[in-house]
Amino acid sequence: MTGRRRTTTSRTSRSLRSTVLSAAVWAACASLAAGCGIVSDVTRSSKDPITVMTWAPEKTQATNMPGMPAMARAYARWVNAHGGIGGRDLRVITCNDNNDTVGAARCARDAVEQNAVAVVGSYSQHARSFLAPLESAGIPYIGGYGVTDEEFTSPLSYPVNGGQPALMAGNGRQLAAAGCVRTSLVRPDTVAGDELPLLLDTGLSAGRNQASDVRAAEDATDYTEQARQALLRTTGAEPAGKGCVTAVLGDRTDTFFDSFRRTRDSYPKVRISTVLGSVDQTVIDRSGGKSGVYEGAYVTGWYPVATDKRWATMRKVISEQAFGDNRIDPTDAGVQTTWIAYTVLKQVVESLGDGDVTAHTVRTTLDGGLKVRTGGLTPTLSWRFEDMIAARGFPRLVNADVTFQVVRDGRLVAARRGLVDVSRTLEATPMG
């Protein structure tokens, strides 16, 4: 889940390039009645079904997010059973990006060919592959998981959370507040993972600390050596018990902590930590609950804990439309992000009334300052220039709130009340 890649392209140049590409596509397609994804934006009846796409990796050797497209389909069944959105049926197309550049580009091209008005609530580590086709066709990317830098730089991206940057900066803040004297970060040995220590250290700077960097293969089946390295670099902390090990390896985080569990008895006691998306309640339950390795762990997330009453409507939709579908876990950050992304889409479409719903009108509405309310799951969302946070490298970031959670008696619960705004922490992060 840590497939973040640094971009050196400025917001202005990306916006200019997107504008030029979109203009070129319009010029090339102006004389055609069909064949270009954006032509249907002009010809579609205002009451035709609304087509969107949701993609995510499934059945791969790295991080998988099958709950995101499954949640999108359940959402479509729910709104269509209640009259659609503004009287329009919602048509959701899903795609497996296979965790590779070819798959990501293929999904994006499919969105263009299917005349999608938006890509909603999706996950991919390969933004460079999928954003070019979307930008050329003018298709907005709403509520991506936030795993790549490009999601926070592309003028056609409308993030609903602070992505991996906010999680890592927030995790550092949480560990600093917990009094961690020494910290080890176990993260993927990839270009994507190379930025995680910088973000974590910025959060840890509140306690004047920096983390030891422990690199690991993101598809390994055993992490005993990495567990030893993390413990050796952490347990020199005094007083005893003030060392902390945080691991952010996506689906392999649980594999790491299994190796850690079998290794830690040879070392002084340390606290452990991670972020939601790498661990959720299902993983905690599977690992033994309150008698498992995660008991007492610090966990940083984007949203309120899964038991919060603000998730009641999402849980009702899952119960009504996806009961028994074990791909959809209401505690999963990907499922929650998809729910919020479709909440944005719904409010955009409703704001258009009887007007045409096209990629262009969706973008114009979002750029025009529509304020989206998510029932307290996030702050009010808006993507005007003045709503964006002055975080270097992440100019599209509009929501830098995180939550501090802890595993207590085998359950993820709030470690402190309310949301924690890490925008100033991100603003202080030096360029990597």
Side-chain angles (χ1 to χ4, degrees):
M1 68 171 282
T2 53
R4 303 176 62 254
R5 297 181 181 276
R6 171 65 62 189
T7 177
T8 57
T9 307
S10 69
R11 179 179 184 273
T12 301
S13 62
R14 288 296 293 268
S15 299
L16 178 61
R17 185 175 69 186
S18 176
T19 301
V20 171
L21 286 170
S22 297
V25 173
W26 274 104
C29 297
S31 62
L32 299 178
C36 261
I38 58 174
V39 170
S40 61
D41 285 350
V42 177
T43 60
R44 181 183 292 116
S45 164
S46 64
K47 292 300 182 180
D48 281 352
I50 302 163
T51 298
V52 298
M53 176 174 276
T54 297
W55 62 54
E58 300 184 53
K59 299 179 180 179
T60 74
Q61 295 302 309
T63 295
N64 296 291
M65 289 285 180
M68 297 180 76
M71 182 71 242
R73 289 190 289 267
Y75 186 93
R77 291 193 296 271
W78 175 63
V79 296
N80 291 340
H82 293 83
I85 305 177
R88 304 167 174 89
D89 282 346
L90 178 62
R91 175 176 175 246
V92 172
I93 308 163
T94 60
C95 188
N96 181 0
D97 91 328
N98 290 306
N99 262 327
D100 62 44
T101 57
V102 174
R106 174 180 52 80
C107 288
R109 289 194 301 270
D110 192 22
V112 175
E113 292 168 2
Q114 294 284 344
N115 299 324
V117 303
V119 174
V120 185
S122 295
Y123 179 106
S124 177
Q125 298 184 20
H126 305 288
R128 292 180 182 178
S129 296
F130 71 72
L131 275 172
L134 296 185
E135 289 177 344
S136 295
I139 297 174
Y141 187 69
I142 301 173
Y145 191 84
V147 74
T148 65
D149 282 0
E150 289 85 351
E151 293 173 63
F152 298 99
T153 59
S154 171
L156 269 70
S157 178
Y158 301 86
V160 299
N161 58 42
Q164 201 76 347
L167 283 183
M168 295 307 298
N171 191 233
R173 284 268 300 272
Q174 185 173 9
L175 294 179
C180 294
V181 177
R182 293 188 186 180
T183 301
S184 291
L185 167 64
V186 184
R187 52 85 171 183
D189 186 12
T190 61
V191 173
D194 287 345
E195 294 178 358
L196 302 186
L198 184 64
L199 290 161
L200 182 72
D201 286 347
T202 304
L204 283 170
S205 65
R208 298 182 174 84
N209 295 317
Q210 288 188 327
S212 295
D213 186 13
V214 180
R215 305 182 182 197
E218 63 178 346
D219 58 353
T221 57
D222 181 82
Y223 291 100
T224 300
E225 179 56 34
Q226 287 76 20
R228 288 172 179 160
Q229 289 182 42
L231 286 162
L232 280 170
R233 299 180 190 186
T234 301
T235 53
E238 294 294 341
K242 288 295 184 179
C244 297
V245 174
T246 188
V248 183
L249 291 165
D251 279 359
R252 299 294 176 170
T253 303
D254 195 41
T255 304
F256 167 78
F257 278 119
D258 184 59
S259 298
F260 177 89
R261 175 184 57 79
R262 291 182 278 105
T263 306
R264 67 179 178 181
D265 287 346
S266 301
Y267 299 86
K269 182 180 179 180
V270 300
R271 302 292 295 271
I272 66 171
S273 174
T274 185
V275 298
L276 278 181
S278 284
V279 166
D280 57 29
Q281 187 61 55
T282 301
V283 172
I284 295 167
D285 293 342
R286 190 172 63 237
S287 300
K290 65 180 181 180
S291 61
V293 66
Y294 294 106
E295 181 65 17
Y298 302 119
V299 182
T300 308
W302 292 306
Y303 314 121
V305 292
T307 54
D308 192 287
K309 63 182 181 181
R310 285 169 284 189
W311 293 110
T313 305
M314 182 190 74
R315 288 180 173 276
K316 180 181 178 182
V317 170
I318 294 171
S319 177
E320 290 181 359
Q321 300 295 336
F323 183 77
D325 188 343
N326 59 15
R327 293 171 300 173
I328 304 179
D329 179 358
T331 72
D332 177 70
V335 168
Q336 294 170 350
T337 299
T338 301
W339 171 259
I340 293 171
Y342 274 90
T343 299
V344 173
L345 177 73
K346 184 173 185 289
Q347 292 184 37
V348 169
V349 173
E350 289 174 342
S351 75
L352 292 170
D354 291 331
D356 289 338
V357 180
T358 69
H360 174 72
T361 59
V362 170
R363 291 196 324 271
T364 300
T365 301
L366 290 167
D367 292 339
L370 177 72
K371 294 187 181 300
V372 175
R373 291 170 176 81
T374 61
L377 295 170
T378 69
T380 299
L381 300 173
S382 182
W383 294 268
R384 297 174 305 169
F385 178 76
E386 52 266 40
D387 296 318
M388 295 175 188
I389 296 164
R392 285 174 288 184
F394 312 109
R396 297 290 293 178
L397 200 154
V398 299
N399 172 20
D401 285 359
V402 298
T403 56
F404 292 170
Q405 302 176 29
V406 65
V407 181
R408 188 174 296 136
D409 293 328
R411 307 302 298 175
L412 265 170
V413 298
R416 59 174 286 179
R417 296 182 63 183
L419 301 172
V420 179
D421 185 356
V422 297
S423 56
R424 290 190 178 181
T425 304
L426 290 172
E427 289 167 4
T429 303
M431 296 295 287

